[in-house]
Amino acid sequence: MTTPTPEVLPAPQFAAAWHAMAQAERILIVTHVKPDGDAIGALCGLALALRELGKPPLAVVDGSVPEYLRFIPGSDATVPRVTAGDFDVMISVDASDEERTGAPGVYGRAHSALVINIDHHPTNTAFGALHVIVPDAVSTTQILFDLLSIADRPISQAVAGALLAGMVTDTIGFRTNNVTPRTLEIAQALMRAGASLHEIMTRTLGTMSWRNVELWKYALQTVALEKGVISAAITREAIKLAHMSQPSDSGGFVGFLNSTEEARIAAVFKEVEDGKVEMSFRAKPGFDVATLALSLGGGGHRLAAGVTLSGTLEEVQARVLPLLQQAAADGAS
C-alpha cells in the first residue's frame, strides 16, 4: 500500500469513531509490536475509558507489556494474544501500518466487522475503515484526550495516568520540537484529573535496569561517528552477556547517542532473531529520518523512526549507513 503524505491523510473522524465504539458490544484493542509508552498508554487509556462506559474491551499486547511500563493503569488487564472470538470493532492505536499490529492485528482484521485506526505517525498507511490520524499530535494519547473531550466523557484518574504516560514518553519529557503550549495545557488537565507527572517521569525516563546498564557497556564499544551520523550496534552476544533473554528496547540508547554535539543523526543497529536487524533512528531538528525509514519499509516521525531489515548486521550497516549519511548531508544543505 502506498503511504499517504500528511497533507492527504484522511480527515480525522472523531465523531464517527466514537459512535462506532459506543454502539459496539464486542471490542478488540491492539497496538504495535515492541510497544513503547505511548502504545501502552493509548491502549490502556482507551480500554479503561470504554470499561467506564460499560463497554469492556479485550486489550491485547503482542507478547506482553514491557516490565518498566506495568505501572500504567490498566496494564494488568491486558492479555498477550487473541486466538478466539469475533468482534464488532477492532481499534488499532499507535500503529502506523498493518504489519506493526503483529499477530493480534492479523487475527483482529480477520474477525472484526470494522477496523478503526487511531494514530499520530505521519507515515500511517491509512488502513482500516475509520481513521483518527493526527500527525501534528505529540502522541496517540493526546489524540485520545481529544476524542474523549469531543465525546464529552469525563477523564478518571486512571485514564489520565495512562494518557499522560504516553505524552511524557513520546515527547521525552516534553523536550521534542513538536511540543506546543497546548501540549502542556493537556498535560496540566491530566494532572488535575489525578495523573502523577513525577511518578511517570521517574518510572519511564528516570529509571534504568542494571541489565540495560550492562548492555550499554558493551554497545558503547561499537560507537562510531562519521559524516554527521553516530551509530552503534547491539549484538546478540552483547544481549547474552547482559543476561537478557531478548533484545531490550534501544530507544533510550539511541536518544543518548543523539545528544552528542557533533552528531546530526543517531542510529542503533540491533541484532534480532531470524537473521534480522532492527534499527532505531533519531535526528536533530532540521534533519529527517522518517523518509529514509519509510523507503526501507519502516516508518515514524522526522526526528524519530525505525525499520527492521533482513540480513546480517554487517550487511545491513553497509546498506543503511551511507543512506543515513546522505540524510545528514541533505538536512545540512
Side-chain angles (χ1 to χ4, degrees):
M1 178 183 293
T2 302
T3 302
T5 65
E7 291 76 18
V8 297
L9 280 168
Q13 298 170 286
F14 283 98
W18 181 256
H19 178 75
M21 296 181 211
Q23 294 299 310
E25 294 297 329
R26 297 162 298 173
I27 301 174
L28 172 68
I29 310 178
V30 304
T31 188
H32 61 75
V33 296
K34 300 184 186 300
D36 56 10
D38 190 28
I40 299 302
L43 181 135
C44 293
L46 181 57
L48 288 166
L50 289 172
R51 288 191 187 101
E52 293 170 3
L53 187 65
K55 303 282 183 177
L58 180 65
V60 186
V61 180
D62 194 326
S64 63
V65 176
E67 186 174 351
Y68 79 103
L69 295 173
R70 291 178 186 171
F71 77 95
I72 292 179
S75 62
D76 58 342
T78 64
V79 297
R81 64 187 64 85
V82 53
T83 58
D86 294 302
F87 302 91
D88 301 314
V89 172
M90 182 188 99
I91 308 163
S92 170
V93 294
D94 202 43
S96 59
D97 56 75
E98 292 176 319
E99 184 177 357
R100 290 277 286 161
T101 61
V106 171
Y107 182 91
R109 286 188 294 276
H111 294 85
S112 299
L114 177 73
V115 174
I116 301 175
N117 178 350
I118 304 177
D119 186 34
H120 74 124
H121 293 96
T123 56
N124 192 286
T125 59
F127 64 92
L130 292 177
H131 308 97
V132 188
I133 305 169
V134 186
D136 291 337
V138 300
S139 67
T140 299
T141 56
Q142 177 185 324
I143 299 171
L144 291 176
F145 174 88
D146 288 335
L147 177 68
L148 294 173
S149 299
I150 290 170
D152 198 27
R153 292 295 304 168
I155 294 180
S156 66
Q157 181 176 353
V159 172
L163 298 187
L164 186 57
M167 293 184 70
V168 166
T169 52
D170 251 26
T171 61
I172 320 175
F174 305 106
R175 290 183 292 168
T176 53
N177 69 339
N178 58 350
V179 171
T180 66
R182 185 168 184 270
T183 309
L184 302 180
E185 290 168 2
I186 293 172
Q188 286 182 321
L190 295 173
M191 292 173 69
R192 284 194 292 269
S196 172
L197 180 62
H198 171 74
E199 179 185 18
I200 292 168
M201 290 282 234
T202 300
R203 287 180 175 265
T204 58
L205 305 180
T207 301
M208 182 185 297
S209 71
W210 168 245
R211 289 182 178 180
N212 266 307
V213 172
E214 284 196 298
L215 186 64
W216 283 34
K217 176 178 67 176
Y218 299 115
L220 282 168
Q221 299 174 36
T222 71
V223 173
L225 175 65
E226 185 177 1
K227 298 181 181 179
V229 176
I230 187 168
S231 64
I234 296 177
T235 65
R236 295 294 299 171
E237 179 63 18
I239 294 165
K240 180 179 178 181
L241 290 170
H243 305 290
M244 291 182 167
S245 60
Q246 59 182 354
S248 174
D249 173 51
S250 57
F253 187 50
V254 72
F256 168 74
L257 295 180
N258 197 44
S259 66
T260 304
E261 183 178 355
E262 294 83 356
R264 298 166 181 169
I265 291 174
V268 171
F269 297 79
K270 182 170 58 179
E271 286 186 321
V272 293
E273 296 178 359
D274 302 322
K276 294 185 177 181
V277 177
E278 179 183 292
M279 288 157 281
S280 297
F281 306 141
R282 295 292 184 274
K284 299 281 178 60
F287 299 88
D288 176 15
V289 289
T291 300
L292 171 58
L294 184 61
S295 72
L296 295 172
H301 308 278
R302 286 181 60 86
L303 304 186
V307 64
T308 299
L309 295 178
S310 297
T312 67
L313 178 63
E314 293 75 15
E315 290 169 345
V316 172
Q317 287 177 315
R319 176 185 176 186
V320 175
L321 280 172
L323 301 176
L324 289 168
Q325 292 164 1
Q326 186 61 53
D330 290 344
S333 60

